[in-house]
Amino acid sequence: MQGDLERILFHETTILSRLDQIAAQITKDYAWKELTVIAVLNGSLVFMADLMRRIQLPLRLDCLSVASYHGRAQTSGEVIFKQIALPDVQDRHILILDDILDSGHTLAAIREKLQTAKPRSVKVCVLLSKKKTREREIDADYLGFEIEDEFVVGYGLDYDERYRNLPCIGVLRKDMIKSGDE
Ligand code: IMP
Ligand code: MG
């Protein structure tokens, strides 16, 4: 699997020490308020599991399932919510977790939808953010790493549902991406 990478960007140890810092910041910022983490499936699963165990706050977890990529390496712009009921977020401090901020469509749509359920506050935490002009206006309140505009996999991130179990994050070799997906 690792042979399908053009190069490794972040080793597991680098990711985990960054998570120590982010979790400490979140713990400090919310200072014993109860936090509701909303993880965006499936990409944020590994990130969520490692991050939430480092946050020292009373914490609830909910997951949201959306699709915007349909197994391709380009965003379609359309965000489909895969469940009918939204998590109960009224009067709660919400922290939305996602793997990567790319065009911004996914997180903007999720934040908009959750706002309608009247949470007390909403913040966004992403592991990665691509340096590019977003199609939707959205910024992360907590960010792991900024990366160039390249297609990356591993540590939860997939290409066509593969590579999520790679412990590191790396740039996928161009020849592994199906033509038409670029
Ligand atoms: P956005 O809606 O364009 O911001 O895309 C967000 C979603 O697209 C993420 O949650 C990922 O699932 C997926 N995505 C965007 N860029 C990448 C990438 O480089 N590798 C893997 N998945 C990606
Ligand atoms: Mg994905």
Side-chain angles (χ1 to χ4, degrees), residues 41-43 68-69 71-72 99-100 151 156-161 164:
L41 298 178
N42 296 327
S68 56
Y69 259 66
R72 307 193 26 225
D99 51 1
I100 188 163
F151 198 80
L157 289 117
D158 73 305
Y159 170 61
D160 214 0
E161 293 305 324
R164 292 197 199 275

Side-chain angles (χ1 to χ4, degrees), residues 34-87:
E34 187 183 73
L35 184 63
T36 300
V37 167
I38 309 249
V40 183
L41 298 178
N42 296 327
S44 72
L45 252 174
V46 181
F47 172 44
M48 175 267 283
D50 282 337
L51 182 72
M52 68 180 262
R53 284 177 294 168
R54 289 171 164 76
I55 298 175
Q56 290 164 44
L57 294 171
L59 187 151
R60 289 173 189 247
L61 172 68
D62 268 303
C63 296
L64 261 188
S65 199
V66 297
S68 56
Y69 259 66
H70 316 290
R72 307 193 26 225
Q74 281 294 311
T75 185
S76 60
E78 184 193 10
V79 178
I80 301 153
F81 287 78
K82 292 196 198 163
Q83 68 246 79
I84 302 155
L86 278 181

Side-chain angles (χ1 to χ4, degrees), residues 87-143:
D88 176 20
V89 299
Q90 192 170 351
D91 290 330
R92 300 219 182 121
H93 294 288
I94 303 299
L95 183 63
I96 307 170
L97 288 196
D98 205 357
D99 51 1
I100 188 163
L101 190 49
D102 184 13
S103 70
H105 282 294
T106 308
L107 278 169
I110 290 171
R111 192 178 56 181
E112 220 163 71
K113 191 120 184 177
L114 289 174
Q115 291 283 13
T116 64
K118 305 209 173 6
R120 189 170 294 179
S121 69
V122 181
K123 283 192 185 181
V124 171
C125 174
V126 290
L127 180 61
L128 304 171
S129 172
K130 289 189 187 174
K131 277 185 216 160
K132 66 194 288 189
T133 317
R134 311 234 180 276
E135 290 167 31
R136 295 282 306 266
E137 200 182 309
I138 179 131
D139 265 317
D141 299 282
Y142 303 98
L143 167 66

Side-chain angles (χ1 to χ4, degrees), residues 15-16 19 46-47 50 127 154-157 163-164 166-169:
I15 301 169
L16 294 180
L19 295 200
V46 181
F47 172 44
D50 282 337
L127 180 61
Y155 196 74
L157 289 117
Y163 308 107
R164 292 197 199 275
L166 262 180
C168 62
I169 296 172

